[in-house]
Amino acid sequence: MNEFARVASRSQRECRPLGWDEYLALSDPVLTRMDETLFELAHFVADLSLVDGAVVLNRRFEVLGFGAEISGGLENVTRLQVALDIEGETRQPEAVKGRGTRHRSAYRLCNALHDALAIVISQDGQVLFVHWHDGAVTCWDQVATSLLDF
């Protein structure tokens, strides 16, 4: 984003918000290289996620492991909160029973590390965002949140 702002500021005469259209209009070799690198990383992580289990990345997006079930003696989560709004203010409790390896791993991780954010991508294409929120493991369904009126 910093590089985009630097390159865009050279081509803009007025101070105004920049968005996707401005990004697409820029022709800069550094941005092109960064875009290609991000695309390759996304495909690499997507390929790793074909293996059941977690793909674990650090804050620098370095792969720490894949195909993992996060357990390590962490406490099992039996109930979670399903967010019904983007802020997670309205939630519905739900049992974890019957959820797969990916889901259970994410719930255990977020229960133990409250700063963690887990993204669970199911084989059916469902995307869940899982995080410790307001005293409980909470998940947001990508489809449901994308339909909310911002």
Side-chain angles (χ1 to χ4, degrees), residues 64-142:
L64 302 177
F66 69 97
E69 180 171 356
I70 299 169
S71 62
L74 298 178
E75 181 182 336
N76 284 328
V77 176
T78 58
R79 296 191 67 73
L80 72 143
Q81 298 291 320
V82 177
L84 302 177
D85 58 22
I86 195 79
E87 295 85 13
E89 292 178 5
T90 306
R91 298 178 296 170
Q92 177 178 320
E94 188 174 292
V96 170
K97 188 176 182 179
R99 300 276 182 130
T101 302
R102 295 174 187 181
H103 292 84
R104 291 190 318 270
S105 292
Y107 304 153
R108 280 194 294 269
L109 178 67
C110 292
N111 189 52
L113 302 173
H114 295 173
D115 287 339
L117 170 67
I119 303 169
V120 183
I121 304 171
S122 300
Q123 288 180 334
D124 64 3
Q126 180 189 34
V127 179
L128 290 179
F129 295 87
V130 183
H131 184 63
W132 180 265
H133 176 69
D134 200 22
V137 174
T138 304
C139 72
W140 287 261
D141 184 319
Q142 178 269 331

